[in-house]
Amino acid sequence: SQQGEEDPQALSIQEGENATMNCSYKTSINNLQWYRQNSGRGLVHLILIRSNEREKHSGRLRVTLDTSKKSSSLLITASRAADTASYFCATDAGAGGSYIPTFGRGTSLIVHP
Amino acid sequence: ETGVTQSPTHLIKTRGQQVTLRCSSQSGHNTVSWYQQALGQGPQFIFQYYREEENGRGNFPPRFSGLQFPNYSSELNVNALELDDSALYLCASSLSRDGRGEQFFGPGTRLTVL
């Protein structure tokens, strides 16, 4: 089963618009990470937010985390055609030095030029 | 480019065969994780190796096994291949074994089982 679930499954927008993707999870986490994947290739790490953080920024990316609601959001501002990709959230549920990361099914983002 | 390489890029096998996939970690990284990604799904964690020992395993049968070598490169072995094993196999290296740091992914090996 997948702990992290992204919403929406697919998102289609015009260049310049903002894109917001959400991730919900079920159990307590140490941190949550967002990744990007271009067309069946390897994943690229975008941002990590720890459980004691509420918001983080990196360039045009803004991530929020609400541990009370067990949810996170990824906002991409002023989107570009090159942002077209699948976006995944990943949570960790391991303890005692082991690490069991769990990815959601992802949000497929298409940015039209 | 992350510095993590995987070989081969693509592979076609038949049911019942065995396969070995290889991963070369980013320089200095002592932890490697393997994932299976079926079409349209997110990556599923197979297992992680830290300094040559298994350090966590997902819900995969024993016919999925691995190795990590002293130079921290790694292999994923799958025995008795099944059709459902067709997927993109990703490895990721990191400096930390507890998931508190960034993972660097390789480009993946696309396995097709006929």
Side-chain angles (χ1 to χ4, degrees):
Chain A
S1 65
Q2 296 185 283
Q3 153 139 281
E5 290 294 339
E6 292 88 348
D7 174 70
Q9 286 190 355
L11 182 59
S12 181
I13 60 175
Q14 294 295 128
E15 215 167 27
E17 293 180 338
N18 294 343
T20 299
M21 289 158 265
N22 302 296
C23 168
S24 60
Y25 57 92
K26 296 173 185 169
T27 63
S28 298
I29 59 172
N30 293 313
N31 64 59
L32 185 145
Q33 303 189 44
W34 283 92
Y35 287 84
R36 163 199 168 118
Q37 184 178 38
N38 283 25
S39 189
R41 301 289 290 170
L43 278 75
V44 175
H45 183 267
L46 296 176
I47 201 162
L48 179 153
I49 187 164
R50 303 189 191 285
S51 59
N52 61 352
E53 297 176 311
R54 291 297 166 258
E55 188 171 311
K56 243 180 150 174
H57 296 256
S58 176
R60 294 184 295 114
L61 305 181
R62 172 179 169 250
V63 167
T64 61
L65 179 64
D66 187 336
T67 52
S68 67
K69 294 181 180 176
K70 291 188 170 58
S71 68
S72 173
S73 69
L74 169 66
L75 168 67
I76 304 174
T77 60
S79 65
R80 304 166 182 168
D83 294 329
T84 295
S86 292
Y87 292 83
F88 296 90
C89 67
T91 56
D92 70 306
S98 69
Y99 173 54
I100 311 293
T102 307
F103 284 78
R105 288 188 174 86
T107 291
S108 176
L109 173 66
I110 297 175
V111 182
H112 299 279
Chain B
E1 295 291 323
T2 62
V4 178
T5 60
Q6 291 186 245
S7 62
T9 306
H10 293 87
L11 198 53
I12 299 176
K13 301 289 255 184
T14 56
R15 203 169 48 178
Q17 286 188 312
Q18 177 266 343
V19 69
T20 297
L21 309 182
R22 294 179 175 82
C23 173
S24 188
S25 303
Q26 182 149 320
S27 178
H29 286 186
N30 55 21
T31 303
V32 65
S33 301
W34 284 91
Y35 297 85
Q36 179 195 68
Q37 186 178 23
L39 202 60
Q41 302 291 316
Q44 296 288 304
F45 176 72
I46 302 175
F47 43 55
Q48 181 190 77
Y49 279 84
Y50 169 71
R51 293 188 174 182
E52 302 178 58
E53 293 200 359
E54 191 177 287
N55 182 54
R57 188 179 181 94
N59 190 25
F60 279 82
R63 60 189 184 83
F64 285 77
S65 63
L67 277 175
Q68 187 181 31
F69 300 100
N71 66 354
Y72 302 137
S73 65
S74 177
E75 285 182 357
L76 164 66
N77 298 289
V78 187
N79 293 324
L81 283 167
E82 300 177 359
L83 297 180
D84 284 350
D85 295 334
S86 295
L88 180 68
Y89 287 84
L90 298 161
C91 79
S93 72
S94 60
L95 276 172
S96 66
R97 61 172 174 156
D98 61 2
R100 296 171 195 272
E102 178 179 348
Q103 290 190 90
F104 294 81
F105 280 81
T109 292
R110 174 78 57 188
L111 173 65
T112 302
V113 182
L114 301 176

